[in-house]
Amino acid sequence: MPEIGIHTRLRRSPYYDATVAAGVTAFSPYNNMLLPLAYGDPDGEYRQLMDGVSMWDVGGERQIQLQGPDASRLAQILCARDLSKALVGQGKYVAVCDHRGVIINDPIALKIDDDCWWLSIADSDIRMWARCVAAERGLDVEVSEPDVSPLAVQGPMAEDVVASIFGDWVRDLKYFWFGDAEIDGIPLKVARSGWSKQGGFELYLMDGSRGLDLWHIVAEAGAPWNIGVGYPNPAERIEHGLVSWGGDCDDQTNPFEVRLTRFVDLDVPDDTIGIQALRQIAADGPTRHQLGIVLDGDERRPGHTVWYDVLSGGEKVGRMTCGTWSYKLERNIGYGLVSTSCSVGDPIEVALDDGLRAAKFVDIPFRIEDR
Ligand code: THG
């Protein structure tokens, strides 16, 4: 594969030098930043996350800050989920939709203060979107991208590592809640969150000049638990059912189609962007849904960059979006974004680069029995 060319558009995170020293072998652009995606040992990196603890440079998960008297109003206009009861220190997983009800980002919304929100975004430019909406609606709010760069600590041992640094109060944090902390003069927020289902925390570094210091503090504190390096792990996240907005959604996808219904509140105010469309889609019933796909055959396929057609009875019924080798099933698995006429158990074929492959639909999350 050709390399990704270096350019000032592609920003380094504050942890960049540490990831290079740790042997990073691949980056992916994410919000115009370099997000580590491999350290050369995919099997070991998966096991490290499943059985131990790993630290991830997810500085590319940028914060879009809404600050000012209308910050909460703007947050609610942007997010199709009721934020009115959120408390300072609470985060919520939300869908940001356009006027068609199409999901254009799936951030965590963090209530920083009564007049301040962060949207911890996936890979699309919500700063521009939010700024435009604020101006068009005449709101008194400043939209910015502050100097904040999350470092994730994920895996079953993550809580012990993070508690050893910051104290036992972190053990009481509820999911997506966060608190202020300081270590060695480094300002940050500690949240129970992270893009895996193995449990863990995210340290929202609030001074980019101290990134390497924070990295070394975590690496040293984690040494007794044999902490390793990692990244948002495609095999773990697909096995366990997390959606990648950029990878599993196209320019037509609404939240109901990708199992995000429970994060949408249809009774938010009428001025929430996309809510009329979402109400209509909910009333009509979505035309596509997301099912798991297990491919026949136990040879390990490389990752793919295109969506494959999915055929049922010879007819195209949708596409397979992201896929991965599953360590758990010892099969190649992935997500299908397919017609609601499709059901679990249907025999299907997937049009891979090297020909049609028999497969079947299964429930998400994937279970070993389903292979
Ligand atoms: N951490 C931070 N920012 C982020 C991500 C993150 N920005 C981009 C991306 N990840 C946002 N998307 C998600 C998607 C899912 C979850 C978190 C962020 C998640 N979902 C759980 C689930 O669906 O099972 C729990 C949801 C719930 O119960 O509320 O964790 O990872 N800082």
Side-chain angles (χ1 to χ4, degrees):
M1 279 272 281
E3 289 171 16
I4 294 176
I6 292 302
H7 193 288
T8 51
R9 279 184 295 106
L10 270 180
R11 300 170 292 170
R12 295 176 176 188
S13 94
Y15 315 112
Y16 176 84
D17 289 345
T19 66
V20 171
V24 66
T25 55
F27 290 103
S28 181
Y30 199 86
N31 289 319
N32 301 320
M33 292 189 75
L34 293 166
L35 189 90
L37 219 63
Y39 285 88
D41 177 18
D43 298 9
E45 289 146 17
Y46 173 87
R47 285 263 67 93
Q48 182 77 35
L49 169 61
M50 298 299 287
D51 301 337
V53 52
S54 55
M55 52 196 289
W56 309 353
D57 169 4
V58 285
E61 293 168 350
R62 304 311 289 166
Q63 310 308 302
I64 304 307
Q65 177 169 288
L66 320 177
Q67 165 100 61
D70 288 333
S72 290
R73 257 201 86 200
L74 178 58
Q76 189 62 82
I77 287 169
L78 297 174
C79 302
R81 184 173 186 185
D82 183 10
L83 299 177
S84 64
K85 291 172 204 78
L87 300 175
V88 172
Q90 187 175 10
K92 276 176 176 264
Y93 180 42
V94 299
V96 174
C97 295
D98 69 12
H99 300 80
R100 303 170 297 158
V102 167
I103 185 165
I104 59 168
N105 204 292
D106 67 334
I108 301 165
L110 299 94
K111 187 165 185 179
I112 301 298
D113 215 329
D114 285 323
D115 64 351
C116 185
W117 287 80
W118 289 352
L119 300 179
S120 185
I121 57 172
D123 183 24
S124 70
D125 196 337
I126 295 305
R127 175 177 49 173
M128 265 196 222
W129 176 259
R131 213 172 256 162
C132 175
V133 171
E136 296 280 326
R137 303 220 182 176
L139 300 178
D140 184 2
V141 56
E142 190 194 327
V143 177
S144 63
E145 187 191 295
D147 173 15
V148 177
S149 305
L151 178 66
V153 185
Q154 297 288 299
M157 300 290 131
E159 184 170 309
D160 288 337
V161 173
V162 175
S164 79
I165 304 170
F166 298 102
D168 281 334
W169 66 273
V170 304
R171 299 185 190 275
D172 299 326
L173 279 174
K174 286 181 282 184
Y175 206 71
F176 286 144
W177 288 68
F178 57 91
D180 285 305
E182 198 183 272
I183 181 82
D184 197 14
I186 307 172
L188 47 86
K189 296 185 190 294
V190 180
R192 188 186 289 277
S193 59
W195 212 51
S196 84
K197 292 300 261 185
Q198 305 316 307
F201 293 80
E202 290 178 306
L203 314 179
Y204 287 81
L205 167 70
M206 293 161 66
D207 176 355
S209 73
R210 303 294 308 277
L212 299 179
D213 296 332
L214 180 62
W215 180 280
H216 293 307
I217 287 168
V218 175
E220 228 165 84
W225 289 275
N226 202 18
I227 197 168
V229 284
Y231 42 84
N233 192 288
E236 190 276 344
R237 76 99 182 160
I238 293 174
E239 288 176 343
H240 295 84
L242 291 173
V243 174
S244 163
W245 172 78
D248 299 312
C249 304
D250 61 13
D251 187 42
Q252 310 287 330
T253 310
N254 65 64
F256 309 121
E257 294 177 318
V258 284
R259 298 176 297 112
L260 301 182
T261 305
R262 68 193 172 98
F263 306 113
V264 174
D265 292 314
L266 293 176
D267 57 357
V268 293
D270 290 347
D271 63 359
T272 292
I273 296 176
I275 201 62
Q276 276 88 354
L278 290 168
R279 289 174 188 150
Q280 192 62 52
I281 297 163
D284 296 345
T287 57
R288 298 186 297 183
H289 62 168
Q290 196 180 41
L291 296 175
I293 292 177
V294 179
L295 300 184
D296 273 10
D298 59 6
E299 97 287 10
R300 186 169 168 167
R301 298 182 62 84
H304 61 263
T305 60
V306 295
W307 288 11
Y308 297 127
D309 284 352
V310 176
L311 311 178
S312 178
E315 298 284 322
K316 179 173 168 181
V317 290
R319 286 185 290 171
M320 178 169 161
T321 62
C322 287
T324 179
W325 170 254
S326 167
Y327 296 92
K328 200 161 141 186
L329 280 74
E330 297 180 311
R331 291 286 184 280
N332 299 288
I333 64 169
Y335 293 153
L337 183 56
V338 297
S339 162
T340 45
S341 65
C342 300
S343 320
V344 167
D346 289 355
I348 50 168
E349 290 172 308
V350 180
L352 304 175
D353 321 86
D354 50 354
L356 287 182
R357 175 67 62 98
K360 65 179 170 183
F361 287 132
V362 301
D363 282 318
I364 302 171
F366 290 84
R367 300 172 311 172
I368 292 175
E369 312 83 89
D370 290 333
R371 75 174 167 207

